[in-house]
Amino acid sequence: MREKKSALIITMWGITNYGNRLQNYAVSKIASDRGLEPFTLATKTEDDSGRVLLIKDFVRTIFFLCSGGKKRAIEVRKKKFRKFNHKYIPSIDNEKDIVALQSEYVFLGSDQIWNAYYVEPNDMVYGKNSNKDRLICISPSFGVDEFDDGTERVIAEYLEPIQHLCVREKSGAELIKRLIGRDVPVFLDPTLMLTDKEWEKIERRPINVPTQKYVLKYFLKEESETSIREASEIIKKYKLEEVKLLDITRPWEYIVDPSEFVYLIHHADVVLTDSFHACVFSILFNKPFWVYKRMDSDMSSRMDTLFQTLGMENRFIHNVDAPYDINYQGVEKRLDLERTRFNTFIDGIIREDV
């Protein structure tokens, strides 16, 4: 039997970030579906031993969570994310392993690996030492529209030799055009390249999921007064429960892992969020969802590209008298077209000898 060729995935490593972990899983799945054996480069600062919760640890967890132990909740959440990584995202974390791997393919992205405010431009994140024929961009993102002149000159030098460039948002394509004069394709986030049925295979029901219909609230930044008020009206009018992720005062919801995150969106009645990936999974499962602009930052470029591509530009408009009013007609067809574009791009680079 011919040995599998390997693929090294270079992305940001957000150990407790739902979107980051799920897009990393998606890229791994995209690689493995093409006969490659994927490994993600994990940053050395993250403890990702993959140790699972032991029985005695689980008992302590119940005690601490029930008694409101916030510190313990943080520890449990990290462990559950590590368990997800260990199960679904094979990784390597040192230079020796990278050399030993001798990967035939290198995938750059997804996520904001080219955001110079988070990651200093370097040879690794731009694949400088990789085989240029087998260096594949998987919708990497800059995260912003521009950087200072010095940073942009460095970025331009790194971008110039990359043959197979692509990005995740239109602003990224415009930045590349301005820096090196090239037109590059814009693809949707890799999480959307998997179908809802594929995501159902890894979703997992949380222990304390509500027994009745619920509103799922997921805000990465401080929740606005508008969303608090609108959620309250919806909950009262439609007799819904509330699930609020990332709220450490609600520990059972705070410790939700990526598989449980997918489940909670899949089975929510309505989703209220400022998160790009909460929008993505709401769309995948055809859920009603409302989007709120973040109070202290503007991360709307990805969402603008997403909604324009799928014809869903009205998600920032909310009507508490019709929270379920959302039109998914034609969305799946548009998604299929985007998946075809993406697959054509990827398959045109990966060799037939895989």
Side-chain angles (χ1 to χ4, degrees):
M1 182 180 294
R2 184 167 50 189
E3 186 176 339
K4 279 188 175 182
K5 293 183 180 298
S6 61
L8 178 64
I9 299 169
I10 300 173
T11 185
M12 296 177 70
W13 187 258
I15 191 172
T16 55
N17 181 297
Y18 296 121
N20 178 279
R21 295 298 79 219
L22 292 168
Q23 64 81 20
N24 198 167
Y25 168 78
V27 175
S28 298
K29 183 74 163 55
I30 288 166
S32 62
D33 283 350
R34 287 162 172 79
L36 301 173
E37 188 173 9
F39 294 91
T40 296
L41 175 62
T43 54
K44 296 179 181 179
T45 56
E46 294 289 5
D47 174 18
D48 186 47
S49 60
R51 291 171 294 180
V52 300
L53 292 173
L54 301 176
I55 296 297
K56 63 179 181 179
D57 199 21
F58 181 71
V59 172
R60 289 200 302 267
T61 297
I62 292 177
F63 174 79
F64 275 99
L65 292 178
C66 291
S67 63
K70 294 182 180 180
K71 183 177 179 181
R72 188 59 184 160
I74 293 172
E75 294 174 359
V76 172
R77 188 170 189 267
K78 287 182 178 179
K79 286 187 177 181
K80 291 180 69 175
F81 270 76
R82 291 181 189 128
K83 185 176 180 180
F84 176 86
N85 288 334
H86 183 68
K87 183 175 182 178
Y88 292 112
I89 306 173
S91 64
I92 55 179
D93 61 5
N94 61 69
E95 188 174 339
K96 183 178 179 181
D97 287 341
I98 295 172
V99 173
L101 181 63
Q102 295 183 333
S103 54
E104 285 81 5
Y105 292 89
V106 175
F107 287 4
L108 296 181
S110 178
D111 217 335
Q112 300 178 51
I113 62 166
W114 290 346
N115 189 334
Y117 295 131
Y118 295 157
V119 182
E120 184 177 352
N122 61 72
D123 293 358
M124 181 63 73
V125 299
Y126 284 93
K128 183 176 181 179
N129 299 318
S130 306
N131 183 330
K132 303 309 177 186
D133 290 335
R134 298 190 175 192
L135 178 64
I136 306 175
C137 290
I138 304 288
S139 307
S141 175
F142 293 99
V144 297
D145 298 341
E146 61 182 1
F147 301 98
D148 63 82
D149 291 343
T151 300
E152 290 194 350
R153 283 194 294 272
V154 173
I155 291 174
E157 291 177 3
Y158 276 120
L159 290 174
E160 187 66 48
I162 300 178
Q163 296 180 23
H164 308 296
L165 275 172
C166 71
V167 286
R168 188 169 58 175
E169 62 269 315
K170 292 180 180 178
S171 62
E174 292 167 356
L175 179 60
I176 291 175
K177 177 69 172 180
R178 178 166 60 80
L179 293 182
I180 63 172
R182 285 168 59 185
D183 294 310
V184 301
V186 178
F187 296 120
L188 295 180
D189 190 85
T191 49
L192 285 160
M193 299 302 106
L194 275 57
T195 67
D196 58 334
K197 300 302 180 186
E198 290 177 295
W199 284 112
E200 283 182 42
K201 292 178 181 178
I202 74 160
E203 71 176 27
R204 188 165 65 91
R205 187 180 187 274
I207 294 175
N208 66 323
V209 67
T211 57
Q212 67 183 62
K213 295 180 178 181
Y214 60 90
V215 169
L216 178 69
K217 299 171 74 174
Y218 178 52
F219 291 91
L220 296 173
K221 297 295 182 179
E222 182 180 355
E223 186 180 2
S224 68
E225 292 183 3
T226 301
S227 61
I228 293 172
R229 173 179 53 78
E230 291 179 343
S232 178
E233 291 182 38
I234 294 172
I235 289 169
K236 183 178 180 180
K237 183 172 184 177
Y238 296 94
K239 297 180 173 58
L240 304 174
E241 288 192 41
E242 179 186 75
V243 173
K244 189 176 181 181
L245 302 182
L246 291 187
D247 185 347
I248 200 167
T249 66
R250 304 166 73 156
W252 282 114
E253 295 162 22
Y254 181 78
I255 65 170
V256 163
D257 69 21
S259 290
E260 294 168 329
F261 173 84
V262 175
Y263 179 98
L264 287 171
I265 290 184
H266 184 189
H267 295 85
D269 222 42
V270 181
V271 177
L272 309 182
T273 189
D274 65 355
S275 158
F276 173 78
H277 281 102
C279 295
V280 163
F281 284 94
S282 297
I283 291 168
L284 282 165
F285 292 117
N286 287 4
K287 309 305 295 187
F289 70 99
W290 289 353
V291 187
Y292 296 83
K293 291 186 180 295
R294 296 184 187 175
M295 296 176 64
D296 60 350
S297 64
D298 182 11
M299 298 289 287
S300 61
S301 179
R302 288 177 294 166
M303 291 186 183
D304 290 342
T305 298
L306 173 65
F307 297 149
Q308 290 167 10
T309 302
L310 299 182
M312 304 183 73
E313 293 92 338
N314 63 346
R315 286 302 87 204
F316 290 97
I317 301 173
H318 312 149
N319 181 358
V320 294
D321 294 321
Y324 305 104
D325 185 14
I326 184 168
N327 183 9
Y328 275 102
Q329 184 176 1
V331 171
E332 192 61 36
K333 184 176 180 180
R334 289 175 182 240
L335 260 180
D336 286 341
L337 290 173
E338 290 304 311
R339 287 169 180 154
T340 298
R341 290 181 60 239
F342 178 86
N343 290 333
T344 299
F345 175 82
I346 299 297
D347 293 336
I349 304 167
I350 294 179
R351 306 305 188 205
E352 295 180 357
D353 61 347
V354 171

